Amino acid sequence: MRKFLEKIVEGGLLVSGSVTSLTILLIILFLFKEAGGLFNSPVVEEGYVLAVNEQNDVKRLSPEQILDIFDSEITNWNEVGGRNEEIVLFRLSDLTNYFSEDELGSQFEYVPEKINELVMREPGIVAFFPYQYLADDFKGRIVSGDKISLSDFFAGTKWYPTSTPSPIFGLVPLLLGTLLVSIGAIVIALPFGMAVAIYMAEIANVKTRNLLKPVIELLAGIPSVVYGFFGLVVIVPLIQKVLHLPVGETAFAGSLVLAIMALPTIITVAEDSMRTTPRAMKEASLALGATQWQTIYKVIIPYSISGITSAVVLGIGRAIGETMAVLMVTGNAAVIPTSFFEPVRTIPATIAAELGEAPAGGAHYEALFLLGAVLFLITLILSISVEYISSKRKI
């Protein structure tokens, strides 16, 4: 009977582990499947056409170039690799500037023909109009047939997902904002976390330790939105006032809030690891003449390096993946940061802020899933790197 029950328990554990592993794998596959669809999306807004004169030398326009052209920051075709020709912008609403209402027809039945005529007539034109008005014998050249490329996303320096005529999904500002805030948080949290862990494990008396440990563990259970509210009400105004900044919502504010959030995890895991050091090893070190501090950094820390590494990985993971608190205190500006004291936007904050408004299955929706895939890869690479460094130190 006992063996039978053991077999049932073993089978249950096997099934539970298999289901959990399979679920995680399916989630990852779904994430990358949805993300990969972005590179099948057209550069120009779906359902619209971007066309130029057939004599135009420009073969392809990137999303950022299209935005700059329609914002009149690029005014000559030679700025995008074409000939020296002034760019003539055309939208459907501009049609009445070239043709009368009679020429367009009472039911606008001649609109495709007139757009075709205008594109043939103007050598420097770039026309943006709905696909339904594309003539069957269109004489211009369509430049909106290209798909969003890897370089458009991974090397893009702007994030304007709702811009017209071409949405821009550039990873660089979001990636730099994420790394800046996360690295800042770890640089702040790691020294303080390790110091408190060492104090609690080796220096504090039993009464102090028993008081501090539950308080620190309680901090880990506070919802992130509460930390974000605290940062918004206390830390942000303080930074703005002390540093004389135009706004207090900066990368530095995000790093401070994330550091506070990561501290309980780092302290708890590192302290538990240090307390597993065998008493005999510590006594042997002290018997050989080492001081308490020499014993800590030459015996206890090397012995518990695996647990300390786990604390670092968990702390960094908390910092990189945090959403709500960062969204509230970093200013949410999707621009490339040039300073630690200016607004930024992180990848998790972008996903949280925009996923609810992105049409399911559209380019914006797929771009947000791709951001999630990038975040997953960053965390995976970070974990593997830390584990590799830890294993090398053990050797």
Side-chain angles (χ1 to χ4, degrees):
M1 185 66 179
R2 182 179 177 182
K3 289 184 178 180
F4 178 71
L5 290 175
E6 289 177 353
K7 289 291 183 182
I8 292 177
V9 172
E10 288 177 6
L13 293 174
L14 177 62
V15 171
S16 176
S18 301
V19 170
T20 302
S21 301
L22 182 62
T23 302
I24 293 172
L25 181 61
L26 290 175
I27 291 173
I28 295 172
L29 289 175
F30 174 74
L31 174 65
F32 281 91
K33 176 182 174 295
E34 292 293 322
L38 177 66
F39 303 113
N40 291 321
S41 301
V43 169
V44 174
E45 188 177 346
E46 206 164 341
Y48 287 81
V49 172
L50 192 69
V52 297
N53 186 278
E54 61 180 350
Q55 302 299 323
N56 197 315
D57 298 331
V58 176
K59 303 299 182 185
R60 184 184 187 275
L61 291 170
S62 70
E64 292 189 21
Q65 289 174 332
I66 294 172
L67 177 66
D68 289 341
I69 287 172
F70 278 83
D71 283 348
S72 298
E73 294 185 19
I74 295 177
T75 57
N76 196 298
W77 285 110
N78 61 13
E79 298 179 57
V80 289
R83 59 191 174 188
N84 187 16
E85 184 83 45
E86 288 293 320
I87 295 175
V88 178
L89 298 177
F90 171 78
R91 297 180 177 86
L92 187 64
S93 58
D94 299 326
L95 201 57
T96 53
N97 296 335
Y98 298 93
F99 304 100
S100 65
E101 293 183 6
D102 291 337
E103 290 177 300
L104 298 177
S106 59
Q107 301 297 322
F108 299 103
E109 63 269 21
Y110 301 127
V111 168
E113 176 187 330
K114 295 304 178 183
I115 292 177
N116 190 14
E117 178 185 329
L118 181 63
V119 172
M120 291 175 60
R121 190 173 71 203
E122 294 284 350
I125 196 169
V126 54
F128 174 66
F129 55 93
Y131 184 82
Q132 67 188 76
Y133 294 121
L134 182 66
D136 295 334
D137 59 342
F138 187 68
K139 301 300 183 183
R141 184 161 52 80
I142 297 174
V143 295
S144 58
D146 293 331
K147 306 295 184 183
I148 295 175
S149 67
L150 289 171
S151 61
D152 290 337
F153 180 79
F154 289 102
T157 58
K158 297 177 182 177
W159 180 267
Y160 299 134
T162 58
S163 65
T164 302
S166 177
I168 298 178
F169 308 106
L171 174 65
V172 173
L174 306 182
L175 180 61
L176 292 179
T178 302
L179 294 177
L180 185 63
V181 172
S182 301
I183 292 173
I186 293 303
V187 168
I188 296 169
L190 194 56
F192 286 103
M194 287 300 301
V196 176
I198 291 170
Y199 172 77
M200 289 178 58
E202 298 299 326
I203 300 173
N205 56 45
V206 176
K207 185 177 179 180
T208 304
R209 183 186 301 118
N210 292 338
L211 176 65
L212 288 178
K213 192 170 180 64
V215 172
I216 292 172
E217 290 176 348
L218 182 65
L219 292 176
I222 296 176
S224 60
V225 68
V226 176
Y227 282 107
F229 186 72
F230 171 78
L232 190 63
V233 173
V234 177
I235 295 178
V236 167
L238 186 63
I239 290 175
Q240 183 178 5
K241 182 178 179 180
V242 172
L243 300 179
H244 306 289
L245 298 174
V247 293
E249 292 90 346
T250 60
F252 182 57
S255 294
L256 281 178
V257 173
L258 284 184
I260 295 171
M261 295 177 66
L263 273 173
T265 303
I266 295 174
I267 293 170
T268 301
V269 177
E271 191 260 344
D272 288 342
S273 177
M274 290 178 186
R275 286 178 62 81
T276 61
T277 305
R279 184 179 181 87
M281 291 183 65
K282 295 187 281 188
E283 290 177 348
S285 174
L286 295 170
L288 290 171
T291 64
Q292 185 180 15
W293 287 107
Q294 288 173 328
T295 301
I296 289 172
Y297 72 79
K298 288 194 175 184
V299 176
I300 296 172
I301 291 179
Y303 182 85
S304 56
I305 191 66
S306 178
I308 294 173
T309 301
S310 299
V312 173
V313 171
L314 290 172
I316 294 175
R318 179 78 186 266
I320 290 179
E322 181 52 46
T323 302
M324 207 61 224
V326 177
L327 183 65
M328 295 173 70
V329 301
T330 54
N332 228 12
V335 295
I336 295 179
T338 58
S339 165
F340 200 48
F341 301 100
E342 64 182 30
V344 296
R345 179 187 279 190
T346 64
I347 291 176
T350 302
I351 296 172
E354 299 180 6
L355 189 59
E357 300 176 358
H364 188 191
Y365 179 85
E366 293 165 341
L368 294 175
F369 269 90
L370 189 53
L371 289 179
V374 169
L375 197 62
F376 168 77
L377 291 175
I378 291 173
T379 306
L380 180 64
I381 292 170
L382 187 63
S383 299
I384 292 173
S385 300
V386 173
E387 288 296 332
Y388 175 76
I389 294 170
S390 176
S391 65
K392 295 290 285 185
R393 289 195 63 177
K394 287 179 184 178
I395 295 171

